[in-house]
Each structure stands twice: as C-alpha cells, then as structure tokens.
Amino acid sequence: MKILFSLALVGLTVLSSRAQDHRLPFVFYGKKIFIQLAVKAPNQLETFVFDTGASSTVIDSAAAQRLGIVANYSQAVTGASGQKLYQMALDQQLFVGEQERIKGINCVLVNLERLKQLNGHPFSGIIGKDLLDKFAIHLDFEKNELLLFRKGSDFHHQGYQKLDFEFGNFIGIPQFEVQLTLQNGEMFKGKVFMDSGAGATLVVNTKFKEQNKLEEKVGPLLESQGTGLGHNFSLKESRAKSLGFGSYQFDNFCFSLSNDQAGVNAFNGYLGILGIEFLKRFHVFLDYPNQTLYLKPNRFYHDAFDTPRSGLRLIKKEAGIFIENIVQGSPAIQSGLQVGDQILQMEQTTGVDLESYRALLRSNAPQVSIQVQKTNGKQTTVVLPLRDLL
C-alpha cells in the first residue's frame, strides 16, 4: 500500500442561506493561523496550524507520543531536503466541536520543534486539506475566526469575486495563475500554490527563476534564510513592481527567490508560492469540492507590506529569545550583534513574546535599543539603526 502526500511547504459575496455548522476562533500569530481541534476524543483539544499548503495532516512527534498516536506505516518521500523516511499513523480521527468527527485521516508524524521555535507559538500539528475536503471554509481575518459549512450548503454569491483554482499534478494545494511585474516593467505569468502556511508574500520557484533569469532582472537582492518542514533553505529577496490575480493588483512589495533544488519550490511549470501576506488582506471563502475561491477585500487590504529593516532573524527557545541569523550587509552586522546572542530587552519590551520583538524590528522607528547577553555571559546594550534594506 502506498500513500502519496505532499508537504508544504501555497464580483461575488459568499453568504450561506443558513448558519455555519461550526465557528472556530483562531489566533493569528507569527504569520500563522492557529486553531483548536480535538484529537482522539472530543475533550482532547490541541492547537493546529491551519495551512492550505498541507495536503496531509501533520502531527508533531512529541505530541503524538503524548496522545498515544503510534506510527503504523512508513514511506520514503523526496522533498526539498532530499529523500526522507516519514512515519505515519493511518486511519486517525479528529473532532470539530463536540460531535463532528473527521475519520480516516492519515497523519504524518514529524518533529515540529524547529518550526515552533521560529514561530514562537506552541502547536501540536498542521492541518489543511483533510479539513477543507469536509467543509467549505470562510476565513475572516477581521474577527479571527473560521466558519465551517458542510458540503451541500446552499450559498448565495453577492459581492465577492470568484476565482477558480485547480489541483494540478495530483497535488492537493489550490493552484491558479498570477501575473508578476518586475521593477523594470517586465511581466511574467504562471501558476502559484496558495499556501496560507507560508509567512510570505510570494516565493518564486527555483526553476521559474532560472528559466527566466530573474536574478539578473529584479534589481537589488538581499540574502536571507527560511525554514520548511524538515529543512532550512536560503532565499534571495527583492522588490516587485506589482502582482495581480483576478481583478486585484498589489504594488511595491518584497518577494523571495527560491534556491531549492527539490520539493515544491522546485516543481517545473509553476511560478511559485502565494503566501499569507496576500491572503490576510481578504475575506476568503474556500470551496475545495468545487475548486472555487471567493475573495473580498477586508480592512487590511491597503496596509503597507513589510520591508526587511534590521537584518535580524530571531528564534524562541526554552531559555528565551535568541538571534538565529544576521543578514550580510545589514545594519546588524556593523552593530556588533552576533548569532547566539540572547535578547534580554528591546526598548521597553522584555519577556519571551517573539512577535513583540519582531514588531519593533519592523517598525518605522529610526533605531531600536537592544540589551543582549553574549555567549560568554557578558551583557551589553546595542543601538541598532533601522532602514529599508530593499
């Protein structure tokens, strides 16, 4: 028996003729959507990342051990980090609310500790298609909630824009066409994976980048790093003139160019991955059975896009917040900060809320004061200049 799965990593209004079947509040933190579902029994609530880029449900290996979920199958999968043997627990179940049961879920058991450290928020798993196959889902970033509707609900469409998608190449992630325009005015069209678990605007596929010689055309580039499921990867960031899909167009945003040689970021025939930084600007209604997406701009639609300003990449560990990476050529290099330094205080902020530190580093302030403890135990305070790096 062989089970195929891929791991990520991505004018009408939708109103139901009756109330939704379930309402799931979510926490939006670190550019991830966190929901709670029950595992094995209705009262065993666990936190999951809601991720349209997850065509299989993933359970953290430590959480699986705690919950008594035992692997009963294994499969070798070639991904961005090469071939790996994944342990799986077949025929599992999840509960939505007290009565609604999702049966027959084949869960991939993976150590998610690295992703939890980088995000700064605890979670036990990642879910996408297994939930979306059972429910049509309305994603509301203004109220921070998912509304779940069983298949067959009668929907009225007024005010939102309809966008059809496909599951091409037997990959269970929504795919549709976008148009990317570079700063030099050159335009490119291609299909993207819609991935709500990708904390980015757009990640351009390695093959698409190479076939179109994009690194020679995009202008200034900034080296950075990313982390996926089971691997780290390097990226180059640049600035685009615009991106369009449906009737929507977004201008002047930073995007990434992948260097992956395998996995979803290297699939031939795709432009790349469309991430949460675009999706969060809409009321989103996802109808997987009919392969249809409905969009309506929300109050975040016109918000400015983030621009890298510090060059610091932070991570949350048990002992606190640490510097994980420093971008070459950034103000942080000249400041004397080093990988491994522990953040003790930033301006008036202390504690271990990773996102509060990141917000200060993204701010439009000209500088930020950072108190750190070096790896030798010495404490020092650094004034870090902030400026747009792209």
Side-chain angles (χ1 to χ4, degrees), residues 153-169:
S153 296
D154 183 19
F155 298 108
H156 301 291
H157 305 110
Q158 300 171 346
Y160 286 37
Q161 182 178 131
K162 179 182 178 182
L163 188 64
D164 293 325
F165 63 81
E166 62 183 43
F167 295 120
N169 295 310

Side-chain angles (χ1 to χ4, degrees), residues 16-297:
S16 175
S17 62
R18 58 184 178 85
Q20 76 285 338
D21 295 290
H22 299 282
R23 182 188 302 267
L24 294 181
F26 68 77
V27 173
F28 188 57
Y29 184 94
K31 301 183 180 181
K32 296 285 189 294
I33 300 166
F34 295 94
I35 61 174
Q36 286 199 315
L37 299 171
V39 179
K40 299 191 74 174
N43 61 346
Q44 288 185 299
L45 286 175
E46 300 287 335
T47 300
F48 284 77
V49 175
F50 175 71
D51 182 1
T52 60
S55 57
S56 291
T57 295
V58 177
I59 302 289
D60 178 52
S61 52
Q65 185 175 12
R66 171 171 52 82
L67 294 165
I69 298 174
V70 179
N72 52 19
Y73 185 76
S74 61
Q75 181 176 326
V77 175
T78 301
S81 56
Q83 189 174 80
K84 296 183 68 173
L85 186 67
Y86 284 97
Q87 300 300 312
M88 301 182 68
L90 305 184
D91 199 26
Q92 301 299 305
Q93 63 182 7
L94 294 173
F95 291 85
V96 181
E98 295 184 359
Q99 302 295 329
E100 191 87 28
R101 183 184 317 199
I102 307 177
K103 299 179 181 180
I105 296 178
N106 298 321
C107 297
V108 186
L109 308 184
V110 179
N111 185 344
L112 297 176
E113 186 60 30
R114 172 83 174 149
L115 289 180
K116 289 187 283 186
Q117 289 179 346
L118 285 167
N119 192 79
H121 193 286
F123 60 96
S124 299
I126 304 170
I127 191 166
K129 194 171 187 298
D130 283 323
L131 190 63
L132 285 154
D133 279 344
K134 186 174 181 65
F135 298 100
I137 294 181
H138 180 237
L139 182 55
D140 189 336
F141 287 96
E142 293 185 349
K143 295 181 179 179
N144 280 9
E145 63 182 16
L146 299 183
L147 301 181
L148 278 58
F149 302 85
R150 291 190 187 91
K151 288 189 289 187
S153 296
D154 183 19
F155 298 108
H156 301 291
H157 305 110
Q158 300 171 346
Y160 286 37
Q161 182 178 131
K162 179 182 178 182
L163 188 64
D164 293 325
F165 63 81
E166 62 183 43
F167 295 120
N169 295 310
F170 305 101
I171 301 169
I173 305 172
Q175 303 156 35
F176 54 84
E177 188 171 273
V178 302
Q179 178 175 290
L180 173 67
T181 304
L182 304 183
Q183 293 284 351
N184 66 5
E186 192 168 354
M187 292 184 293
F188 300 89
K189 289 184 178 181
K191 290 180 182 178
V192 293
F193 295 102
M194 189 187 75
D195 185 356
S196 66
T201 52
L202 178 73
V203 182
V204 172
N205 175 294
T206 303
K207 284 189 169 57
F208 191 92
K209 175 194 73 175
E210 294 172 348
Q211 290 165 359
N212 293 284
K213 298 180 170 56
L214 292 188
E215 285 193 20
E216 303 172 12
K217 301 175 180 180
V218 294
L221 288 164
L222 184 70
E223 296 274 357
S224 63
Q225 288 188 338
T227 297
L229 195 61
H231 78 294
N232 297 326
F233 50 88
S234 64
L235 296 166
K236 292 184 179 179
E237 293 184 78
S238 190
R239 187 174 289 275
K241 182 178 180 180
S242 67
L243 184 85
F245 50 90
S247 66
Y248 301 110
Q249 178 174 304
F250 295 91
D251 299 325
N252 192 30
F253 64 92
C254 296
F255 72 105
S256 301
L257 298 164
S258 172
N259 290 316
D260 279 354
Q261 297 304 311
V264 68
N265 280 326
F267 286 171
N268 199 24
Y270 291 92
L271 188 148
I273 293 173
L274 187 79
I276 195 68
E277 283 294 293
F278 284 119
L279 298 179
K280 74 178 186 181
R281 298 162 192 273
F282 294 94
H283 295 287
V284 180
F285 190 89
L286 286 160
D287 182 354
Y288 269 36
N290 293 306
Q291 297 185 20
T292 303
L293 170 69
Y294 297 92
L295 298 172
K296 179 182 178 181

